[in-house]
Amino acid sequence: MKIYTKTGDKGTTALFGGTRVPKHHIRIDSYGTVDELNSHLGLIRDQPIDQHYKEIIMIIQERLFTVGATLATDPAKAMLKNGKERLNIPKISAADIELLENEIDRMNDSLPPMTHFVLPGGHQTVSFCHIARCVCRRGERLASALNDLEPFQPESLTYLNRLSDYLFVLARKLSSELEAEEIQWIPKKES
């Protein structure tokens, strides 16, 4: 398979199903941001962290490919002429969302309660989590805007929302495990 096809040289790209759209189309921006998020998760997984987190991140990365494929599918061409779905892979499910929720709860149970916002940082690995969280939120905003225009599987949107929560709690959990200082944002009072 050739890496370069030259079909996008004029600023368009093909969706799953063949529809060509501008590369700046919100659908492309949505799944491109999910792809960016996946790369940031790879960076977190490459850090010296507990194997359990690495395994969960690997599951998340796999599921993000599903989210990306969902976002890359033209709804007008989602069904084949034979009545089967073009995207013949397991969709994001309630179980995928529940896995994130269970992981959030498990980590959160061992952390001190949050009383203030926390400043991102304290350790490079923690910072990587915060960057991934922000990219996830951007992906969610773009996917939400796309969903307003062309609705897609709602669980994919829920998954992105829950994933940003997971990444926030993972950042806090890693701060604790790495003994990094978690700095609370306490706004100064006006004099």
Side-chain angles (χ1 to χ4, degrees):
M1 178 175 136
K2 270 193 154 185
I3 296 298
Y4 59 93
T5 61
K6 301 183 181 182
T7 57
D9 288 353
K10 295 193 174 159
T12 65
T13 193
L15 298 176
F16 193 47
T19 304
R20 294 203 69 81
V21 296
K23 289 186 177 183
H24 60 270
H25 191 281
I26 190 168
R27 184 172 293 283
I28 309 306
D29 213 3
S30 296
Y31 74 73
T33 302
V34 169
D35 187 36
E36 180 185 351
L37 169 61
N38 211 332
S39 296
H40 284 290
L41 290 176
L43 186 59
I44 297 168
R45 189 169 46 85
D46 288 343
Q47 301 305 301
I49 58 176
D50 186 275
Q51 186 61 31
H52 176 76
Y53 303 135
K54 292 180 182 221
E55 290 167 6
I56 295 299
I57 289 170
M58 187 94 81
I59 292 168
I60 292 167
Q61 287 185 288
E62 191 276 333
R63 299 315 289 144
L64 284 177
F65 267 93
T66 298
V67 172
T70 299
L71 295 172
T73 302
D74 180 355
K77 295 188 177 179
M79 299 300 285
L80 299 170
K81 290 179 183 176
N82 65 9
K84 293 187 178 184
E85 291 186 34
R86 180 175 299 280
L87 194 57
N88 188 21
I89 60 174
K91 307 281 188 293
I92 296 296
S93 68
D96 295 318
I97 296 163
E98 190 175 317
L99 172 70
L100 293 177
E101 291 172 347
N102 289 340
E103 288 298 311
I104 291 167
D105 292 343
R106 186 184 63 74
M107 291 186 292
N108 214 30
D109 285 346
S110 65
L111 294 170
M114 266 194 61
T115 56
H116 296 83
F117 288 109
V118 281
L119 299 179
H123 188 282
Q124 187 176 48
T125 304
V126 173
S127 295
F128 290 153
C129 288
H130 282 292
I131 291 167
R133 172 184 57 81
C134 292
V135 173
C136 187
R137 285 285 187 213
R138 177 166 29 98
E140 181 188 7
R141 289 190 303 271
L142 289 165
S144 175
L146 174 63
N147 190 59
D148 281 354
L149 299 171
E150 298 176 344
F152 55 87
Q153 189 217 12
E155 289 82 2
S156 291
L157 199 52
T158 303
Y159 190 80
L160 290 173
N161 183 37
R162 208 66 79 251
L163 179 54
S164 61
D165 296 333
Y166 168 83
L167 291 167
F168 176 75
V169 176
L170 179 62
R172 290 198 70 220
K173 181 67 172 165
L174 290 174
S175 283
S176 173
E177 290 180 4
L178 296 166
E179 299 178 1
E181 183 180 8
E182 190 173 74
I183 301 172
Q184 296 180 340
W185 178 61
I186 302 171
K188 292 181 173 39
K189 304 279 186 217
E190 292 219 28
S191 332

